[in-house]
Amino acid sequence: MIAKRDGREIPKHIAVIMDGNGRWAKKQGAMRIFGHRSGVQAVRDITEGCAELGVDHLTLYAFSTENWSRPQKEVDGLMNLLIKTINSELPTLMKNKVRLTAIGDLQGLATGVYKKLSLAIDETKLNKGLNLILALNYSGKWDLTQAFKVICGEAIKGTIKPEAIDEDLVSNYLSTKGIPDPELLIRTSGEMRISNFLLWQSAYSEFFFTEVLWPDFRKKHLNLAIDSFNDRERRFGKTSEQLDFQ
């Protein structure tokens, strides 16, 4: 069951597409990387807010497989910012018992980034609080493709029978294995698409789109998203009448 707090249902898993850093920087007359740096405060605020509300998992779309096509200077800046942020935030994660994990093609990250990320994941692995999941070098299509490759390999070897392949089996080969699907998916900046993020996992997510640019996103906006989530009727293919009789 979804936990309740202050009379509201609190999603176990919230996923966020952190969009609008570049536009925010442009409004300030600054370089795009300035927007990414300013977005770190939003990450702090929302991580803290989710921990306070009792959210179990928070997934942040930090860097997609498509983001490599951005100007090299911006990509380098993002990777350097990631290392710097991990260094600066690790003591706070430990203090607040936040466990850091990551999904995506992590081996495709720069060596320095991968090592720093791996060390932080290892250091926080025993923390029992919020599970903060960074989606890095990630895309939903990549996730499904890598799962299907492994499943096909197992089928060829005979360890998986084709007739045994069902939704639960596919889920167990995704990078989110063991993590419940997000009940709420938030996207900032006014764009109304999911941009190749958690395609399988978000099949029944409630979407919340806001015009707020990511660097300006705070706990009050998170609470608005959760209020909106509470206003939805989640039927999962059933009718309203069926839900009334449950």
Side-chain angles (χ1 to χ4, degrees):
M1 293 181 63
I2 296 177
K4 287 197 173 185
R5 187 171 185 137
D6 299 326
R8 297 184 300 170
E9 290 189 344
I10 304 300
K12 291 181 179 179
H13 184 180
I14 295 176
V16 184
I17 300 174
M18 306 179 292
D19 194 21
N21 290 339
R23 275 166 282 173
W24 187 90
K26 187 175 181 179
K27 286 185 175 182
Q28 316 299 317
M31 300 288 289
R32 289 177 59 86
I33 193 62
F34 178 67
H36 296 306
R37 290 175 187 149
S38 299
V40 172
Q41 181 56 49
V43 172
R44 291 192 193 105
D45 211 62
I46 300 318
T47 300
E48 183 179 275
C50 284
E52 291 170 350
L53 289 167
V55 175
D56 293 333
H57 308 275
L58 171 63
T59 300
L60 302 178
Y61 203 8
F63 193 88
S64 75
T65 54
E66 289 87 357
N67 287 154
W68 294 111
S69 63
R70 292 188 175 187
Q72 190 60 48
K73 186 175 181 179
E74 182 175 351
V75 171
D76 292 342
L78 283 167
M79 293 299 109
N80 290 332
L81 178 61
L82 179 59
I83 292 176
K84 182 179 178 181
T85 302
I86 291 173
N87 282 333
S88 63
E89 298 301 317
L90 188 55
T92 302
L93 296 179
M94 294 301 296
K95 178 182 177 182
N96 295 327
K97 297 180 172 52
V98 174
R99 178 161 57 100
L100 181 67
T101 54
I103 57 173
D105 184 8
L106 305 181
Q107 297 286 350
L109 297 172
T111 302
V113 175
Y114 180 73
K115 286 183 177 179
K116 180 60 64 176
L117 178 65
S118 298
L119 287 171
I121 289 172
D122 186 64
E123 189 163 345
T124 64
K125 66 182 179 182
L126 298 179
N127 290 346
K128 302 299 183 183
L130 174 71
N131 180 23
L132 175 60
I133 307 160
L134 299 182
L136 290 162
N137 198 20
Y138 177 89
S139 78
K141 289 184 177 180
W142 167 85
D143 206 359
L144 287 165
T145 300
Q146 63 84 27
F148 294 155
K149 283 181 179 179
V150 178
I151 292 170
C152 286
E154 296 293 332
I156 290 170
K157 290 189 295 185
T159 54
I160 292 179
K161 295 182 179 180
E163 59 268 24
I165 299 174
D166 58 14
E167 291 181 12
D168 289 337
L169 186 142
V170 173
S171 293
N172 282 332
Y173 282 87
L174 296 174
S175 60
T176 51
K177 177 184 178 180
I179 301 169
D181 292 341
E183 293 94 351
L184 175 61
L185 191 152
I186 300 169
R187 179 167 188 154
T188 59
S189 87
E191 301 292 352
M192 300 179 71
R193 55 180 177 270
I194 60 174
S195 297
N196 208 354
F197 182 45
L198 299 177
L199 298 179
W200 177 280
Q201 299 89 335
S202 64
Y204 276 102
S205 299
E206 299 297 332
F207 293 170
F208 180 81
F209 299 106
T210 174
E211 297 284 339
V212 177
L213 302 177
W214 178 247
D216 292 326
F217 197 83
R218 292 295 182 268
K219 292 179 187 178
K220 64 180 181 180
H221 303 111
L222 173 66
N223 277 287
L224 286 173
I226 293 174
D227 287 342
S228 176
F229 171 81
N230 274 261
D231 288 338
R232 316 283 178 90
E233 182 180 68
R234 310 191 76 221
R235 297 192 299 274
F236 300 100
K238 297 180 180 180
T239 67
S240 298
E241 290 75 16
Q242 285 176 297
L243 295 178
D244 289 340
F245 284 102
Q246 287 185 350

